[in-house]
Amino acid sequence: MTVMGQEINDYVARVRAALADLPPTQRDELTEDLADHLTEVAAESEGTLVERLGEPETYAAELRAAAGAAPGGGRNLDQKVATAVVRVRSQLREIDARLGPPLGYATASDFLRLLRPGWWVLRGYLAAMLITVLSTGGSYGLLPRFGGELLAGMVMLVGFVLASIWLGRRSARLTRWPRWALHTGSLVLVAFALAALANAENRLGYTDYYYDQTSVDSQYGQIRDVFVYDSEGRLVENARLFDQNGSPIRLGYPDCQGPVDEYANPLLRPYPYCPGQAPFGPRAPGVPVPPAAPTTTPGPTTTPTSTPTSTPEPTGTATGQPTADPTVTPTPTPTS
């Protein structure tokens, strides 16, 4: 349908909406040749039908007056709703026609029709992911799972994609309410996709401040802080724990004042969170670590049992008695 043909249809629909209070037979008689008349008017000169004939409601009032019908002074709710719907549709079609040329098509809807098969596949994937979230209590990844089982999730994914393609190929033949139900379901899936993207963005943003939590036994559930001491009994600050795979282990939760992010969540801190609460007397903040005392290996020592009474004479003749100390031995001097 051309843009002119769409404009004529919209104009006729608004005229009929303005005449909605008349009996259907009389309304059909008044608008029977309206489309042909509008086609002739549109072919005569440039400009929109509204510019040349006025608003459709004004044109409808002229038709009513020409037919001698009662003026529609008090329009009922159906007339107002019908008129509003027609106006909205007309505005949407104008936007559609304006967005088409930048995309290389007469209307934007012509371009979007080419993307429908891709949307059908994406819709099936989003439906599988929604079931994954519902069946796993909110846990999800890139691939769907049913009750935490990947194989069942992949089977579900294939089924949903095929069903979505089947519905997409037959959506034009659906009646009014099934079509509305399909559109409503699609809107729900789009909202779910946007929420999942926002959640994923938040999770990626938190990796700058937090380690991934590592599961530990329940006996550590009441831990609030971790204090590490070296072999000398000194508190080790700025310590971090890792498992055998290099994954960080996080225990406890800071219950003392520390740096926080813009959402008032505590930033990642090494152990201990609160050095001032150490159970074995931590160092005061700013006090340097005292140097460790040098360690020596004790050797065998001897205790003297007596004191030497004399020392050898330089003449070489031992005049004194040897002491009990095994380290002092008199040296005999040879004589000639």
Side-chain angles (χ1 to χ4, degrees):
M1 180 180 295
T2 62
V3 177
M4 182 182 298
Q6 190 63 59
E7 182 183 7
I8 292 173
N9 289 341
D10 292 342
Y11 199 95
V12 172
R14 291 179 61 180
V15 170
R16 291 180 61 84
L19 300 174
D21 60 314
L22 297 178
T25 303
Q26 186 178 10
R27 184 174 64 247
D28 293 341
E29 291 177 356
L30 293 176
T31 60
E32 181 178 5
D33 300 326
L34 180 58
D36 296 337
H37 172 65
L38 295 178
T39 301
E40 295 175 0
V41 172
E44 289 175 357
S45 59
E46 298 181 354
T48 64
L49 294 176
V50 174
E51 293 173 352
R52 282 172 283 179
L53 299 177
E55 294 291 334
E57 290 74 17
T58 303
Y59 190 88
E62 296 175 357
L63 289 178
R64 186 191 298 271
R75 296 196 304 167
N76 55 28
L77 181 61
D78 292 340
Q79 288 178 281
K80 295 179 180 179
V81 172
T83 302
V85 170
V86 171
R87 286 181 177 176
V88 170
R89 288 180 176 176
S90 177
Q91 293 175 355
L92 291 177
R93 290 191 181 98
E94 290 180 4
I95 296 174
D96 187 24
R98 291 179 181 178
L99 294 179
L103 298 175
Y105 294 86
T107 60
S109 57
D110 293 338
F111 171 74
L112 295 177
R113 289 189 186 95
L114 301 176
L115 304 180
R116 286 188 299 179
W119 161 244
W120 297 341
V121 175
L122 179 60
R123 181 172 57 186
Y125 171 78
L126 293 177
M129 293 303 297
L130 179 59
I131 297 300
T132 297
V133 172
L134 296 177
S135 63
T136 58
S139 176
Y140 65 92
L142 293 178
L143 295 178
R145 286 174 170 80
F146 185 78
E149 296 294 334
L150 179 60
L151 179 59
M154 297 306 295
V155 173
M156 176 180 62
L157 173 63
V158 173
F160 279 1
V161 169
L162 293 178
S164 178
I165 294 174
W166 184 84
L167 287 173
R169 292 174 59 87
R170 291 161 177 77
S171 59
R173 288 177 284 177
L174 295 177
T175 57
R176 180 179 179 182
W177 291 113
R179 183 180 301 176
W180 276 105
L182 180 61
H183 293 337
T184 302
S186 298
L187 291 177
V188 170
L189 293 177
V190 170
F192 165 73
L194 295 177
L197 287 176
N199 186 35
E201 178 68 18
N202 291 335
R203 291 169 61 184
L204 289 175
Y206 287 151
T207 56
D208 295 336
Y209 305 108
Y210 295 97
Y211 286 135
D212 292 334
Q213 189 72 19
T214 300
S215 299
V216 295
D217 296 336
S218 59
Q219 60 179 326
Y220 302 112
Q222 301 301 321
I223 290 179
R224 302 293 299 175
D225 205 342
V226 175
F227 299 90
V228 181
Y229 291 83
D230 62 12
S231 60
E232 299 297 326
R234 293 170 299 185
L235 179 66
V236 177
E237 298 185 21
N238 299 322
R240 291 175 172 83
L241 303 181
F242 297 87
D243 64 11
Q244 71 281 354
N245 298 320
S247 300
I249 300 175
R250 300 304 298 172
L251 299 175
Y253 190 83
D255 55 3
C256 57
Q257 186 64 30
V260 296
D261 61 12
E262 57 182 334
Y263 303 105
N265 296 317
L267 297 177
L268 176 64
R269 288 187 282 172
Y271 299 117
Y273 300 135
C274 310
Q277 301 178 7
F280 304 114
R283 297 191 315 272
V287 176
V289 180
T295 58
T296 58
T297 304
T301 59
T302 58
T303 303
T305 57
S306 63
T307 303
T309 59
S310 62
T311 58
E313 292 293 335
T315 58
T317 304
T319 60
Q321 298 295 326
T323 62
D325 190 346
T327 60
V328 180
T329 304
T331 304
T333 302
T335 57
S336 56

